[in-house]
Amino acid sequence: MSTDEFDLTPPELTTDDLLVLDDPRFGPETVAIVTGAASGIGRATTLALVANGLTVVAADIDESGLDDTTETAAGLDVPGTVHAVPTDLTDDDDVAAMVDAAAEAGDLRYVANVVGMQHIASIPEFPMEKYDLLLDIMLRAPFLVAKLAMPHIRAAGGGAIGNMSSVHGHYATQDKAAYITAKHGLHGLTRSIAAEGNGTLRGFSISVGYVLTPLMVNQIEDTAEERGISEQAVVEDVMLGQARTKEMMTPAEVANLFVFGFSKHGDHLNGGDMLHDGGYSTTYE
């Protein structure tokens, strides 16, 4: 079997892919922040929330990608609105300005901390500047966004902060130590938000296996080189080998979990993790 038998092209998203719910808080007066909104899961989450009528502040350092997200939303003819706010999540002033922009756009109730990145290397060979960057992006930035957004969410009468974790927040594999450390840390942040939220400001995380995003596709070559195996073996054995569901998730499927988690149907999801990993962490051979 070759990797050609796996379609590694991220799918084109349509409105049929998106979960749309009847929720009293899902309207244009309600604002959600989505980080990492220029591509992948962040873009899909932005589109899913605007499909539900929300106003979304889409944050990312990639301005061109944000433009593409905005154009895609316009092409889908959805009821919500995207406000693209270019943001360097390693710059505290940038993050503060982005949260302020969200609060000015309406009732800030929801945050989807989605942004992620990856570096493949063993611990002895892992560059510390890469470690610091990954932790800044995937753990410090979500903490700062939560810190700044929580007063606004409380003032709006409640809401939720969803953190994009991973199956790697539940177990470890080799050569991804910084990513794994960050994802485990997000579970602690999620529980801390729930502990301080008084029931009306909820925190939850979402953990999935491999998702068909540009970030994932880029990992195949890096993982093959680091482990000394073929790209075919990466897909078959590393990415899909442990899972019982022999398909990668799509970004839209992950985005729909954020929609559910933010909605009235997720009222009892507080401090918990939605694990949709195809059996990665719950089964073994």
Side-chain angles (χ1 to χ4, degrees):
M1 182 181 296
S2 72
T3 54
D4 291 340
E5 295 187 42
F6 296 100
D7 185 0
L8 298 179
T9 305
E12 183 177 349
L13 186 148
T14 71
T15 52
D16 290 339
D17 300 316
L18 301 175
L19 176 67
V20 177
L21 298 174
D22 182 14
D23 190 286
R25 289 182 170 179
F26 284 5
E29 72 286 348
T30 295
V31 179
I33 291 171
V34 179
T35 68
S39 66
I41 295 170
R43 174 177 291 175
T45 301
T46 298
L47 299 174
L49 293 174
V50 295
N52 278 274
L54 278 72
T55 297
V56 177
V57 167
D60 203 295
I61 198 170
D62 179 1
E63 295 189 34
S64 176
L66 286 178
D67 289 341
D68 290 342
T69 298
T70 303
E71 290 174 8
T72 302
L76 292 175
D77 191 28
V78 289
T81 304
V82 177
H83 292 294
V85 180
T87 308
D88 180 352
L89 290 170
T90 67
D91 185 318
D92 289 5
D93 291 338
D94 251 23
V95 174
M98 180 270 291
V99 174
D100 286 345
E104 291 168 3
D107 294 329
L108 175 55
R109 292 188 182 273
Y110 306 118
V111 173
N113 282 312
V114 179
V115 69
M117 63 185 303
Q118 184 62 276
H119 185 79
I120 306 298
S122 66
I123 293 173
E125 301 298 325
F126 211 101
M128 287 310 299
E129 65 273 15
K130 286 290 186 181
Y131 178 90
D132 291 340
L133 179 60
L134 263 68
L135 269 290
D136 280 350
I137 291 289
M138 290 193 293
L139 192 53
R140 188 183 186 278
F143 182 94
L144 179 58
V145 174
K147 168 186 168 66
L148 298 174
M150 285 175 73
H152 296 293
I153 297 173
R154 288 193 174 104
I161 297 175
N163 296 314
M164 188 70 241
S165 186
S166 166
V167 65
H168 287 99
H170 291 264
Y171 70 63
T173 57
Q174 66 189 52
D175 303 325
K176 296 182 178 179
Y179 186 89
I180 290 161
T181 300
K183 295 303 186 182
H184 275 73
L186 279 177
H187 289 174
L189 174 60
T190 296
R191 293 164 188 161
S192 297
I193 291 167
E196 297 185 18
N198 297 321
T200 57
L201 196 170
R202 297 181 292 109
F204 65 88
S205 58
I206 294 172
S207 293
V208 298
Y210 288 91
V211 182
L212 199 51
T213 66
L215 177 66
M216 185 283 301
V217 173
N218 290 339
Q219 286 184 47
I220 295 174
E221 183 177 348
D222 293 342
T223 301
E225 181 178 354
E226 181 66 23
R227 297 193 182 192
I229 59 178
S230 68
E231 293 183 17
Q232 171 185 334
V234 172
V235 175
E236 294 179 5
D237 300 332
V238 178
M239 292 185 169
L240 296 178
Q242 183 65 23
R244 294 303 183 263
T245 304
K246 297 301 183 181
E247 285 185 347
M248 295 180 187
M249 289 185 76
T250 67
E253 289 175 315
V254 184
N256 291 338
L257 299 177
F258 279 102
V259 172
F260 174 85
F262 289 149
S263 77
K264 63 185 179 182
H265 303 289
D267 280 350
H268 293 276
L269 176 63
N270 198 12
D273 179 70
M274 286 197 279
L275 178 63
H276 289 243
D277 70 349
Y280 275 99
S281 61
T282 55
T283 62
Y284 69 96
E285 295 179 348

